[in-house]
Amino acid sequence: MQVVLPPELEQLIQRQLAAGKYQSALEVITAGIHLLDQQDDIYQGRLPELQQDAQVGWEAAQRGELVEGPTAMAQIRENLRSRHASAE
C-alpha cells in the first residue's frame, strides 16, 4: 500500500524522527495506528457507560434539573481537584 501524506503530517513525522523517538517514518506511522486502535478499544469498552450517562443527563433535563455551563464547568473542575487531592 502506498499512501501520500499531507505536508502537515509529513512535518509531524519529521519532528518525531528529529526528537529521536523513532528510527523511521514507518515506526511513527505504526505507533500512531496502534494508538488509534487502543483509543477505539477504550471507546468501545466505555460506550455502554457513556450511553448510560447520556440517558441520565437526558432524564435530568426532562425534569428541569439543568445546570448552566459555567456552573457545570466549575463543578467538574472541583471534582477533578478533589480526585487529584485524594489520590496524593
Side-chain angles (χ1 to χ4, degrees):
M1 175 188 310
Q2 292 185 350
V3 178
V4 177
L5 299 174
E8 59 272 10
L9 291 181
E10 287 184 22
Q11 291 170 0
L12 174 62
I13 290 170
Q14 290 304 321
R15 285 196 307 270
Q16 295 295 316
L17 292 172
K21 297 178 183 180
Y22 301 94
Q23 299 301 310
S24 70
L26 181 57
E27 283 185 26
V28 176
I29 293 167
T30 300
I33 292 170
H34 284 298
L35 286 172
L36 181 61
D37 192 40
Q38 288 174 354
Q39 182 182 19
D40 190 47
D41 287 346
I42 290 167
Y43 175 76
Q44 289 302 319
R46 291 199 58 222
L47 184 57
E49 177 187 346
L50 294 170
Q51 288 172 326
Q52 177 63 30
D53 289 347
Q55 183 64 36
V56 168
W58 173 254
E59 290 169 1
Q62 293 301 314
R63 293 188 304 269
E65 300 171 358
L66 300 176
V67 177
E68 294 294 323
T71 302
M73 290 306 298
Q75 291 173 350
I76 291 168
R77 286 187 188 103
E78 183 56 37
N79 286 341
L80 289 173
R81 280 189 210 99
S82 296
R83 286 184 188 176
H84 181 69
S86 65
E88 292 179 340

